[in-house]
Coordinates of all heavy atoms in Angstrom, one line a residue:
E1 N -24.0 13.0 -8.0 CA -24.6 14.4 -7.9 C -24.2 15.1 -6.6 O -24.6 16.3 -6.4 CB -26.1 14.4 -8.1 CG -26.8 13.6 -7.0 CD -27.0 12.2 -7.3 OE1 -26.3 11.7 -8.2 OE2 -27.9 11.6 -6.7
D2 N -23.5 14.4 -5.7 CA -23.1 15.0 -4.4 C -22.0 16.1 -4.6 O -21.3 16.1 -5.7 CB -22.6 13.9 -3.5 CG -23.7 13.2 -2.8 OD1 -24.9 13.6 -3.0 OD2 -23.5 12.1 -2.2
S3 N -21.8 16.9 -3.6 CA -20.8 17.9 -3.6 C -19.4 17.2 -3.6 O -19.3 16.1 -3.2 CB -20.9 18.8 -2.5 OG -20.7 18.1 -1.2
A4 N -18.4 18.0 -4.0 CA -17.0 17.5 -3.9 C -16.6 17.0 -2.5 O -15.9 16.0 -2.3 CB -16.0 18.5 -4.5
E5 N -17.1 17.8 -1.5 CA -16.8 17.4 -0.1 C -17.4 16.1 0.3 O -16.7 15.3 0.9 CB -17.3 18.6 0.8 CG -16.9 18.4 2.2 CD -17.4 19.5 3.1 OE1 -18.0 20.5 2.6 OE2 -17.3 19.4 4.4
E6 N -18.7 15.9 -0.1 CA -19.3 14.6 0.2 C -18.7 13.5 -0.6 O -18.6 12.4 0.0 CB -20.8 14.7 -0.1 CG -21.6 15.6 0.8 CD -23.1 15.8 0.5 OE1 -23.3 16.0 -0.7 OE2 -23.9 15.7 1.4
Q7 N -18.3 13.7 -1.8 CA -17.7 12.7 -2.6 C -16.4 12.3 -2.0 O -16.0 11.1 -2.0 CB -17.6 13.1 -4.0 CG -18.9 13.2 -4.8 CD -18.7 13.6 -6.2 OE1 -17.7 14.2 -6.6 NE2 -19.7 13.4 -7.1
E8 N -15.7 13.2 -1.4 CA -14.4 12.9 -0.8 C -14.6 11.9 0.4 O -13.7 11.1 0.6 CB -13.7 14.2 -0.3 CG -12.3 14.0 0.2 CD -11.6 15.3 0.6 OE1 -12.2 16.4 0.3 OE2 -10.6 15.2 1.2
L9 N -15.7 12.1 1.1 CA -16.0 11.2 2.2 C -16.5 9.8 1.7 O -16.7 8.9 2.5 CB -17.0 11.8 3.1 CG -16.6 13.0 4.0 CD1 -17.7 13.6 4.8 CD2 -15.5 12.5 5.0
A10 N -16.7 9.7 0.4 CA -17.3 8.5 -0.1 C -16.2 7.7 -1.0 O -16.5 6.8 -1.8 CB -18.5 8.8 -1.0
V11 N -14.9 8.1 -0.8 CA -13.8 7.4 -1.5 C -12.9 6.8 -0.5 O -12.5 7.4 0.5 CB -13.0 8.4 -2.4 CG1 -11.8 7.8 -3.0 CG2 -13.9 9.0 -3.4
I12 N -12.6 5.5 -0.7 CA -11.8 4.7 0.2 C -10.5 4.4 -0.4 O -10.4 3.9 -1.6 CB -12.5 3.4 0.6 CG1 -13.9 3.7 1.2 CG2 -11.6 2.5 1.5 CD1 -14.7 2.4 1.4
Q13 N -9.4 4.7 0.3 CA -8.0 4.3 -0.2 C -7.6 3.0 0.4 O -7.6 2.9 1.6 CB -7.0 5.4 0.1 CG -5.6 5.1 -0.4 CD -4.6 6.1 -0.1 OE1 -4.9 7.1 0.6 NE2 -3.4 5.9 -0.5
F14 N -7.3 2.1 -0.5 CA -6.9 0.8 0.0 C -5.6 0.4 -0.8 O -5.6 0.2 -2.0 CB -7.9 -0.3 -0.2 CG -7.5 -1.7 0.2 CD1 -7.1 -1.9 1.5 CD2 -7.4 -2.7 -0.7 CE1 -6.7 -3.2 1.9 CE2 -7.0 -4.0 -0.3 CZ -6.7 -4.2 1.0
G15 N -4.5 0.5 0.0 CA -3.2 0.3 -0.7 C -3.0 1.6 -1.6 O -3.1 2.7 -1.1
K16 N -2.6 1.4 -2.8 CA -2.4 2.5 -3.7 C -3.6 2.8 -4.6 O -3.5 3.6 -5.5 CB -1.2 2.2 -4.6 CG 0.1 2.1 -3.8 CD 1.3 1.8 -4.8 CE 2.6 1.7 -4.0 NZ 3.8 1.4 -4.9
R17 N -4.7 2.2 -4.3 CA -5.9 2.4 -5.1 C -7.0 3.1 -4.4 O -7.1 3.0 -3.1 CB -6.4 1.0 -5.7 CG -5.5 0.3 -6.7 CD -6.1 -0.9 -7.3 NE -5.3 -1.5 -8.3 CZ -5.6 -2.5 -9.0 NH1 -6.8 -3.1 -8.9 NH2 -4.8 -3.0 -9.9
Y18 N -7.9 3.7 -5.1 CA -9.1 4.4 -4.5 C -10.3 3.7 -5.0 O -10.5 3.4 -6.2 CB -9.0 5.9 -4.9 CG -7.9 6.6 -4.3 CD1 -6.6 6.7 -4.9 CD2 -8.0 7.3 -3.1 CE1 -5.6 7.3 -4.4 CE2 -7.0 7.9 -2.5 CZ -5.7 8.0 -3.1 OH -4.7 8.6 -2.6
Y19 N -11.3 3.5 -4.1 CA -12.6 2.9 -4.4 C -13.7 3.8 -4.0 O -13.7 4.4 -2.9 CB -12.7 1.5 -3.8 CG -11.5 0.6 -4.2 CD1 -10.3 0.5 -3.5 CD2 -11.7 -0.3 -5.2 CE1 -9.3 -0.3 -3.8 CE2 -10.7 -1.2 -5.6 CZ -9.5 -1.2 -4.9 OH -8.5 -2.1 -5.2
T20 N -14.8 3.8 -4.8 CA -16.0 4.5 -4.3 C -16.8 3.6 -3.4 O -16.9 2.4 -3.6 CB -16.9 4.9 -5.5 OG1 -17.2 3.7 -6.3 CG2 -16.2 5.9 -6.4
S21 N -17.3 4.3 -2.4 CA -18.1 3.6 -1.3 C -19.5 3.2 -1.8 O -20.2 4.1 -2.3 CB -18.1 4.4 -0.1 OG -19.0 3.8 0.9
N22 N -19.9 2.0 -1.6 CA -21.3 1.6 -1.9 C -22.1 1.2 -0.6 O -23.0 0.4 -0.6 CB -21.4 0.4 -2.9 CG -20.6 -0.8 -2.4 OD1 -20.1 -0.8 -1.3 ND2 -20.5 -1.8 -3.3
G23 N -21.7 1.9 0.5 CA -22.3 1.7 1.8 C -22.0 2.9 2.6 O -21.4 3.9 2.1
I24 N -22.3 2.9 3.9 CA -21.9 4.0 4.8 C -21.2 3.3 6.0 O -21.5 2.2 6.4 CB -23.1 4.8 5.2 CG1 -24.1 4.0 6.0 CG2 -23.6 5.6 4.0 CD1 -25.3 4.9 6.5

């Protein structure tokens, strides 16, 4: 439910993949 800007800060790029963050 977060804004697109906040969600962008909650995505981690590792190698060629992207992962959603489950911490801060």
Side-chain angles (χ1 to χ4, degrees):
E1 64 271 18
D2 282 348
S3 66
E5 184 180 354
E6 288 177 315
Q7 287 180 345
E8 186 178 348
L9 285 174
V11 174
I12 301 168
Q13 181 180 1
F14 179 58
K16 295 182 179 181
R17 294 187 177 184
Y18 293 87
Y19 301 88
T20 55
S21 172
N22 56 4
I24 60 174

